[in-house]
Amino acid sequence: CLWCYTNNTCIDYPVRSILPSSSLCSLSNARWGVCWLNFEALIIALAVVAGLILVSITVCCCYCCYCRRRSRSRLDEEEEQLARKREERRLQSLQRKHERKLKHDEIRKKYGLLQDSDNPYSRFENE
């Protein structure tokens, strides 16, 4: 139903067109469905709601893209930092291994257990 305030009549809504023509009733005087719902206000309200939805979707998409880029750079930095720490631990481990080998060689030398590097297969003999 399309209620027109200018002539106080209820007209069947023109289904073929989205907006009623001005020959039937002017847009400011047309009411849709119920007498208190102004057609012009309804169109403005729907446009504002649709605009807010589009703006919020756009803002969310931009924010998400920014966060992804930011998180990727953070992940790259963390990965690089972990690789540096892993390399440092590996170098420290090799250094400790070398120090242990030197200590063990000193102990072997002290007790006469150090083998000749020329003949590693020589037999151990008690003197």
Side-chain angles (χ1 to χ4, degrees), residues 85-99:
K85 285 184 179 181
R86 192 178 313 121
E87 184 63 23
E88 286 174 10
R89 285 193 300 261
R90 188 184 69 80
L91 291 174
Q92 288 174 353
S93 173
L94 287 174
Q95 184 179 5
R96 285 191 306 266
K97 184 177 179 182
H98 181 70
E99 289 173 359

Side-chain angles (χ1 to χ4, degrees), residues 19 21 31 48 50 52 68 70 90 98-99 104-105 121:
L19 297 175
S21 66
R31 303 291 187 256
V48 167
L52 287 174
R68 283 185 188 158
R70 190 173 170 198
R90 188 184 69 80
H98 181 70
E99 289 173 359
H104 291 157
D105 286 347
Y121 298 107

Side-chain angles (χ1 to χ4, degrees), residues 41-58:
L42 176 68
I43 292 172
I44 292 172
L46 288 175
V48 167
V49 168
L52 287 174
I53 289 172
L54 286 175
V55 167
S56 64
I57 288 173
T58 304

Side-chain angles (χ1 to χ4, degrees), residues 28-77:
S28 60
N29 290 326
R31 303 291 187 256
W32 182 67
V34 290
C35 294
W36 56 268
L37 187 58
N38 186 348
F39 208 93
E40 197 172 38
L42 176 68
I43 292 172
I44 292 172
L46 288 175
V48 167
V49 168
L52 287 174
I53 289 172
L54 286 175
V55 167
S56 64
I57 288 173
T58 304
V59 167
C60 286
C61 289
C62 291
Y63 181 75
C64 288
C65 290
Y66 174 74
C67 285
R68 283 185 188 158
R69 228 179 316 141
R70 190 173 170 198
S71 67
R72 283 182 189 157
S73 64
R74 271 191 197 159
L75 289 175
D76 291 342
E77 288 174 7

